[in-house]
Amino acid sequence: MKIIFQVAGPASVGKSTTIRLAYERLRDKHADAEVLSNASLRKEVQAILKINRKLIGIESRGDNAEFVKAALKLFAKQGCAVIVCATRSRGETDQAVKRFAELNGFELERMDKAGTTSTQQDSDNSKLATKLVREVLAAVGL
């Protein structure tokens, strides 16, 4: 099964932070995970991990359609069975992921990221990152 976990929301609600946390937790839980690609980005993540013989593409830059499209193309070319990406709630990035999933036989699981107060945002990011890690590991058979 091929699956995309889409973290969707408006600007500045913690989509990138949530995905970066999930990436770090996957690396912590699976120190033996092979990192096949890891773009050098300051606050963002674009990486391909190999866990349990499955490739996982991770892209946090969801506010720019060109970044999203390029990442999806890279992940497909590399043979990723699981993709985690950020998008806006609607518009070009959201549509790009939907089209990609449909054309490439991916199931799409959308996780909406709503805006919260700054005191709640860290907790919300952590909770969603935990859910993402659990879902990604289940998708790769762990």
Side-chain angles (χ1 to χ4, degrees):
M1 170 180 77
K2 298 190 303 185
I3 188 165
I4 297 173
F5 297 102
Q6 174 189 10
V7 179
S12 301
V13 296
K15 299 180 303 289
S16 292
T17 301
T18 299
I19 290 174
R20 190 174 56 254
L21 279 171
Y23 170 76
E24 291 166 0
R25 289 176 184 176
L26 283 168
R27 297 284 317 273
D28 288 346
K29 280 185 172 238
H30 294 277
D32 61 337
E34 191 175 346
V35 180
L36 301 176
S37 172
N38 191 3
S40 182
L41 306 168
R42 188 186 311 188
K43 291 184 177 184
E44 304 287 347
V45 174
Q46 184 188 72
I48 298 174
L49 296 177
K50 187 174 187 180
I51 298 176
N52 199 26
R53 299 183 313 272
K54 299 260 176 34
L55 297 181
I56 304 160
I58 301 171
E59 173 62 69
S60 67
R61 297 175 295 177
D63 293 338
N64 182 305
E66 295 310 311
F67 289 141
V68 172
K69 290 175 185 177
L72 293 172
K73 185 177 179 180
L74 170 68
F75 298 155
K77 182 179 178 185
Q78 295 299 318
C80 294
V82 177
I83 296 173
V84 177
C85 67
T87 69
R88 289 289 179 99
S89 300
R90 59 183 188 277
E92 197 174 358
T93 56
D94 177 55
Q95 290 302 313
V97 170
K98 288 177 181 174
R99 277 192 300 273
F100 177 85
E102 185 178 312
L103 293 172
N104 293 280
F106 279 81
E107 180 183 325
L108 185 59
E109 183 174 327
R110 181 177 164 132
M111 299 175 182
D112 288 308
K113 185 81 176 73
T116 59
T117 64
S118 58
T119 55
Q120 281 185 299
Q121 190 162 339
D122 287 344
S123 175
D124 290 348
N125 292 345
S126 182
K127 287 176 186 173
L128 187 53
T130 297
K131 180 179 179 181
L132 268 170
V133 168
R134 187 174 53 246
E135 299 275 342
V136 166
L137 293 177
V140 298
L142 295 175

